Amino acid sequence: MNVLTRHISDFFEHWAPNATKQDYDNTGLLIGNPNQPVTGILCCLDVTADVIDEAAARNCQLICAHHPLIFPKLKRVVTTDETGALIHSLIRNNISVIAAHTNLDAARDGVSFALAQTLELTDISMLDDSYKTMKRVIFRFPAALKPEVSAAIRNVDLDCGWSEEEMNISVARFNADVYVLNELRSRLLQILDGAPHSFDIVALESSSPLYGFGALGKTTSPMTQQAFLDHVAAKLGSSGLRFSGEADAIKKVAVCGGSGSFLIRKAQQSGAQAFITADIKYHDFFVPKGFLLIDAGHYETEAPIIAAMQQKLASAFPDVQVISTSVCTNPMQGWPAKSGNTVSVNPHTTL
Ligand SMILES: [Zn+2]
């Protein structure tokens, strides 16, 4: 069977549903044709000119990126604008782009889990599992379609309340996780086949074990602060860590790939002796004794998701060539400079 771009979109929809993204975000298939055959996929954090050249040279028709290229909304696509030039080049080269950003941050085995695995932590779980993903749905549709609609709802194991309204309208009321809801909604739209209907969807306070923020894990044996800092720097290929606080016998570790300052308190409450994230502000570095706070860099803490995406896609689509980019898109450099980094910057993708 030919693999099409939309099959890869479906794969991400299972792993990291678009409905779990943050409101401000822009994820999913951003550029391209959903029905285009795909024989090669390039995984990366940022879509830059060098990454596009690499995808074209290696016969990849699809780029799967963590940071959305179109962010915020675009008003025009012109080659005199940096993002416009990139989009123009993608279209000219017939390359599609899927972005999995805050939805991949929130997913099990997403950005923070990949970071925890790279740091060789064990027993990995969500650091903050209070992410609200349950919805209350009130679905109104023509009563004639009730047998098919109720079969579709039963098929995903949801408890549903039913009532009838005037004008032959049936009403289904149920609670569903965003992931289940996405699947169910596409099935219901097929059944409706253009018939008038309405979905009223309200967020509930319930969380799901499948989605959250950050990750919590354990080191294989208690580590001294010095050994732990060496370990983090080596595993993440960091040219310099910034840290505050102090801790000994580090065993329980919290992590969040990218900007995770909002989880510092949660990390302390979890009993972790160390928290590794990025983009930490000066005042946030003041932490109590017994806790080590490490800023290991935005790129460095998110880069592990590139290989994780590559591996997951390669095993799901064995007939497709899936590669990780060889371009370092980190716009931030340190001094003394590390050798071998090809820097390629798009200001819209350094989120
Ligand atoms: Zn990021």
Side-chain angles (χ1 to χ4, degrees):
M1 186 190 80
N2 268 354
V3 175
L4 308 178
T5 307
R6 63 183 160 81
H7 296 139
I8 314 297
S9 295
D10 290 346
F11 169 84
F12 276 101
E13 196 54 35
H14 280 82
W15 181 16
N18 281 302
T20 60
K21 74 174 179 62
Q22 297 293 297
D23 289 343
Y24 61 80
D25 206 0
N26 189 27
T27 60
L29 180 63
L30 302 188
I31 297 163
N33 173 1
N35 294 314
Q36 177 181 314
V38 174
T39 59
I41 300 174
L42 180 73
C43 301
C44 62
L45 283 189
D46 306 291
V47 181
T48 65
D50 289 341
V51 167
I52 296 170
D53 287 348
E54 184 183 27
R58 301 203 53 188
N59 295 318
C60 295
Q61 301 82 19
L62 176 64
I63 294 175
C64 293
H66 178 48
H67 291 139
L69 177 61
I70 302 177
F71 186 97
K73 297 267 182 277
L74 272 186
K75 287 215 168 93
R76 61 189 70 84
V77 177
V78 290
T79 55
T80 45
D81 168 88
E82 193 172 353
T83 303
L86 294 175
I87 294 170
H88 195 255
S89 167
L90 285 159
I91 294 170
R92 265 200 340 264
N93 284 288
N94 210 19
I95 297 171
S96 304
V97 173
I98 288 174
H101 189 215
T102 50
N103 50 328
L104 197 51
D105 289 330
R108 182 165 285 277
D109 293 329
V111 175
S112 294
F113 275 61
L115 171 59
Q117 279 153 7
T118 297
L119 294 172
E120 297 177 347
L121 302 181
T122 58
D123 299 336
I124 302 169
S125 59
M126 289 281 179
L127 171 60
D128 181 356
D129 60 2
S130 62
Y131 195 29
K132 310 291 187 289
T133 54
M134 292 299 286
K135 308 281 182 190
R136 176 70 174 163
V137 182
I138 301 172
F139 173 46
R140 291 183 169 80
F141 61 95
L145 297 172
K146 189 170 172 185
E148 286 159 281
V149 167
S150 69
I153 293 175
R154 261 201 320 277
N155 202 32
V156 288
D157 289 331
L158 293 180
D159 289 331
C160 184
W162 298 94
S163 61
E164 310 298 326
E165 290 182 351
E166 292 171 10
M167 313 283 290
N168 286 327
I169 298 293
S170 282
V171 186
R173 293 178 171 78
F174 55 87
N175 294 349
D177 187 278
V178 283
Y179 165 57
V180 173
L181 180 55
N182 273 358
E183 284 212 335
L184 176 61
R185 192 172 171 157
S186 359
R187 174 73 193 115
L188 293 175
L189 289 174
Q190 275 176 0
I191 293 169
L192 285 161
D193 195 24
H197 65 279
S198 71
F199 282 102
D200 292 316
I201 300 175
V202 180
L204 297 177
E205 284 301 299
S206 332
S207 56
S208 157
L210 294 176
Y211 313 107
F213 295 109
L216 202 54
K218 292 183 186 141
T219 57
T220 41
S221 58
M223 297 172 87
T224 63
Q225 178 168 316
Q226 187 59 56
F228 187 70
L229 290 169
D230 284 344
H231 174 74
V232 173
K235 290 293 167 193
L236 300 186
S238 172
S239 55
L241 302 174
R242 295 189 304 157
F243 70 96
S244 67
E246 55 181 273
D248 251 328
I250 296 169
K251 176 82 185 153
K252 195 170 185 184
V253 175
V255 303
C256 179
S259 308
S261 294
F262 68 102
L263 289 171
I264 293 174
R265 186 172 289 270
K266 193 85 187 174
Q268 290 167 346
Q269 288 166 349
S270 74
Q273 290 93 32
F275 180 42
I276 301 149
T277 187
D279 303 344
I280 302 172
K281 289 185 187 155
Y282 174 80
H283 292 288
D284 291 334
F285 272 110
F286 289 89
V287 290
K289 279 214 158 104
F291 186 74
L292 185 66
L293 179 60
I294 303 174
D295 188 327
H298 194 117
Y299 178 88
E300 289 83 352
T301 56
E302 290 188 339
I305 195 62
I306 301 173
M309 270 198 276
Q310 186 270 329
Q311 284 158 20
K312 272 199 180 257
L313 285 164
S315 66
F317 301 96
D319 296 335
V320 176
Q321 174 203 220
V322 188
I323 55 175
S324 295
T325 183
S326 57
V327 179
C328 173
T329 58
N330 189 357
M332 299 171 74
Q333 299 187 66
W335 188 263
K338 278 177 66 186
S339 60
N341 280 1
T342 309
V343 177
S344 166
V345 185
N346 179 335
H348 298 297
T349 59
T350 53
L351 310 175

